[in-house]
Amino acid sequence: MNNSKTWSGRFNEPVSELVKKYTGSIDFDKRLAKWDIQGSLAHAEMLRQAEVLSDEDVANIQQGMAEILKEIESGTMPWSLDLEDVHMNIERRLTDKIGDAGKRLHTGRSRNDQVATDIRLWLRDEINEIRSLIQALQAALLDLAEQHADTVMPGFTHLQVAQPVSFGHHMLAYVEMLGRDDERMADCRKRVNRMPLGSAALAGTTYPIQRETTARLLKFEQICQNSLDAVSDRDFAIEFTAAASLLMVHLSRLSEELILWISPRFGFIDIADRFCTGSSIMPQKKNPDVPELVRGKSGRVIGHLTALIMLMKSQPLAYNKDNQEDKEPLFDTVDTLVDTLRIYADMVRGITVKPENMRAAVMQGFATATDLADYLVKKGMPFRDSHEVVALAVRHADEQEMDLSELPLDKLRSFSDLIEEDVYQVLTPEGSLNARNHLGGTAPEQVRLQVARWRELLAN
């Protein structure tokens, strides 16, 4: 029998060409080929140890799979839509090469547990790569933070100047976000690294399989304990895409700031030309295309998360054809994340900071008003009273188009006789930074300590 479908004996007419195209997945799932071969080789070795396959069969399978892998890597593998997916294409190619031993390989498994295993093996490796790229981006941000531990910039709330902060401190905020992203990826990987193979279609198999052996060969940390759940579970894909969405949200927030800061209205930074483009009509333009695209692609990844949740929400147990739709959103999420992280680390190393513009912006927004209120509290005034006193001083300075630090001492003393000559030490942006010398604060000393702490964490 040489049917193109493994199940075609059940049917009285061939599948229509339209249905083949609609239901086939080979165009996108062939990227799982390497991991499908890994899983098949481990399955074959387990069947040999369980005395289901002979030594000769396994040797032939190993040889045939090595040849197929070379064909895939060289681009000469003859993929066929008639065979639907990556699993059947590889199995048919193997059978063409080695005969009946190739047909015996599928003993004790189903495409249901096979594809679930392949995706987990693939995603496990991709998470390793993503974590390494997250840490590379953190390292680039740490370099920038260390270089600018003393650089003053305005910190914002409601996008209004609030208090002076160190630019290095600002960069460290994103290092912290990425640190949580890395933790989420590491935690998600634990649930990805559970083996469904051996669950067969949905109920297990009658063959004397040794799932522990397969798990050890494939380096799975745990084995899925319920066959129904194992073949139908896509929680790990949703969880990964949720972690990816949060990561893209963090990069989108930083991108928004870079886009604002490169604008002449801010002028806080410049981004290397290789990450920007011009205009087809306006010769003066330098557009921050990379951060803008990152901001846009965050919506793409979040959309994939929504798609996967909707895919699973109404499925009864166990496997359903709906689950074929899990791959394209998952593949695109990984591709988007890897490309974004790789280009972002390079872009961060191409950022030029403009400290003089940042400091000038600090001086425009009465950023040290809270420092003056704290100064009065330390002199004995209740905070609510100091808040009111400083508000009056700010209003006067605003009317005079002056910063608080530019007001004469006698004018400051007109708002409170607690104010003395030493007030000017707290009204400078640098004084404001240095006053916040505690864990988590923006003082340059704290920035350098945090940089050192993160370097040690990344090294370990």
Side-chain angles (χ1 to χ4, degrees), residues 115-306:
V115 65
T117 302
D118 290 359
I119 294 174
R120 287 172 183 264
L121 288 170
W122 166 79
L123 186 55
R124 183 178 73 182
D125 286 353
E126 295 294 343
I127 289 174
N128 292 345
E129 172 69 6
I130 287 165
R131 291 193 64 203
S132 120
L133 290 171
I134 290 172
Q135 291 162 24
L137 176 53
Q138 286 180 292
L141 289 167
L142 287 173
D143 289 344
L144 201 56
E146 188 171 40
Q147 293 164 23
H148 293 282
D150 296 287
T151 299
V152 175
M153 70 172 292
F156 297 93
T157 60
H158 309 279
L159 207 56
Q160 306 297 310
V161 173
Q163 292 178 307
V165 297
S166 156
F167 182 76
H169 189 62
H170 199 114
M171 292 299 98
L172 285 172
Y174 287 100
V175 174
E176 292 288 334
M177 292 182 209
L178 290 166
R180 295 194 296 274
D181 292 323
D182 187 44
E183 289 175 9
R184 272 185 283 271
M185 288 292 174
D187 193 54
C188 172
R189 191 186 185 282
K190 296 175 185 177
R191 284 171 289 285
V192 171
N193 203 25
R194 294 175 181 172
M195 190 188 75
L197 198 60
S199 301
L202 76 163
T205 178
T206 60
Y207 295 97
I209 60 172
Q210 301 166 1
R211 297 185 71 201
E212 294 82 2
T213 297
T214 318
R216 176 174 48 79
L217 291 169
L218 291 172
K219 296 182 171 57
F220 278 109
E221 295 172 18
Q222 295 185 46
I223 298 171
C224 297
Q225 298 292 305
N226 182 283
S227 60
L228 286 166
D229 177 54
V231 298
S232 61
D233 168 40
R234 294 298 182 271
D235 290 3
F236 66 92
I238 293 172
E239 184 179 354
F240 167 79
T241 312
S245 295
L246 266 175
L247 174 49
M248 288 299 293
V249 166
H250 293 153
L251 296 181
S252 181
R253 293 181 71 184
L254 178 53
S255 294
E256 174 70 8
E257 297 203 300
L258 297 179
I259 292 162
L260 289 172
W261 293 346
I262 197 176
S263 161
R265 300 283 68 80
F266 280 77
F268 288 179
I269 64 163
D270 196 11
I271 296 175
D273 288 354
R274 64 184 179 274
F275 301 103
C276 302
T277 65
S279 164
S280 63
I281 188 173
M282 295 169 284
Q284 84 282 9
K285 291 296 293 300
K286 179 178 176 179
N287 299 325
D289 279 13
V290 169
E292 286 178 351
L293 269 175
V294 171
R295 190 174 58 181
K297 286 178 183 291
S298 65
R300 177 177 181 147
V301 172
I302 294 165
H304 291 326
L305 170 61
T306 303

